[in-house]
Amino acid sequence: MSTYTRREITYYKDKQYSYKMRDFATLRKKIAAASERIRQDGTRIIAEMATEYYKQRFTTKEWEGEPWPAAKNPPSRGSLLVRSGALVSTIRPVRVTSTEATIRAGSPRVPYARIHNEGGTVTQKPTPKQRRFFWAKAHATSETATESGLGRWERAAVAKQLHITIPRRKFIGKSVALNRLIVARLRALITL
């Protein structure tokens, strides 16, 4: 059994306290460095992850585990909402600051982004190309006249207004899954 004098015990306690204070100061420096790293890179990382996540919706064709409604007439080329890639290419960060990241889809050349994301009904005057298509479908199907005297395609060909219902195929917006991915990435950024 060893015995220590009061002076030796005080020295031992002071040394232990000194080590704890040094560890605390180191920890404080690491937290400050991580905080600065997050402040500088956090919103940029969020913008990159969100943009990539939103673009992936066109590959997975779902939002939050809910698949997009199937197309009534599947496209002959490309896939649903990705014939030319114009809509996907408009998804990009438009504003990234230290406090916010804004991602936008659509442009004046791609005005249909919102209706596809939210769904709804579009009312428009039929174009000459649409009228030719409707007449061709009416002749090809040899449809029989209904009570109004015209078949489905003939009514569409002579209509003054078309009402086209587009189902919701969400690809951009608030997402729980995206938030989880962002939190995991930011936690990895805070390694102490």
Side-chain angles (χ1 to χ4, degrees):
M1 184 168 139
S2 59
T3 57
Y4 295 102
T5 64
R6 179 173 280 230
R7 186 174 183 191
E8 289 173 326
I9 292 173
T10 305
Y11 172 75
Y12 180 72
K13 285 181 179 178
D14 288 344
K15 191 172 182 181
Q16 220 177 14
Y17 181 72
S18 173
Y19 281 130
K20 287 180 183 175
M21 287 305 291
R22 216 175 309 142
D23 290 344
F24 184 70
T26 305
L27 181 62
R28 189 180 315 165
K29 287 178 185 175
K30 286 183 178 183
I31 290 171
S35 175
E36 185 61 29
R37 197 167 52 239
I38 289 173
R39 193 176 10 260
Q40 290 175 353
D41 299 337
T43 52
R44 182 185 52 79
I45 289 170
I46 290 169
E48 289 172 4
M49 290 186 70
T51 302
E52 185 61 31
Y53 182 81
Y54 296 147
K55 287 183 177 186
Q56 284 176 352
R57 300 307 98 208
F58 290 89
T59 305
T60 60
K61 295 180 180 21
E62 55 83 27
W63 181 260
E64 299 285 310
E66 181 181 329
W68 288 352
K72 287 181 184 176
N73 301 315
S76 59
R77 64 180 174 86
S79 69
L80 192 59
L81 292 184
V82 191
R83 287 189 190 160
S84 66
L87 179 55
V88 176
S89 66
T90 64
I91 298 173
R92 66 188 181 288
V94 290
R95 184 169 184 224
V96 179
T97 66
S98 62
T99 57
E100 74 174 306
T102 305
I103 314 299
R104 183 175 294 154
S107 69
R109 297 184 74 196
V110 185
Y112 49 85
R114 171 175 265 161
I115 193 73
H116 281 293
N117 191 51
E118 298 171 1
T121 302
V122 177
T123 303
Q124 71 171 54
K125 181 180 175 185
T127 64
K129 185 176 180 180
Q130 286 174 322
R131 290 191 191 279
R132 285 192 305 271
F133 171 78
F134 296 145
W135 281 121
K137 285 297 250 183
H139 291 297
T141 58
S142 301
E143 59 186 15
T144 58
T146 62
E147 296 140 12
S148 66
L150 297 174
R152 173 181 168 215
W153 294 110
E154 291 170 334
R155 279 195 317 273
V158 297
K160 292 183 180 184
Q161 293 283 322
L162 292 177
H163 302 284
I164 303 166
T165 301
I166 298 177
R168 179 178 174 205
R169 294 184 176 100
K170 194 161 178 77
F171 56 87
I172 191 168
K174 292 182 180 179
S175 167
V176 174
L178 174 60
N179 287 347
R180 284 189 199 122
L181 292 171
I182 289 171
V183 167
R185 177 82 184 271
L186 292 179
R187 279 189 180 149
L189 187 66
I190 303 177
T191 55
L192 295 176

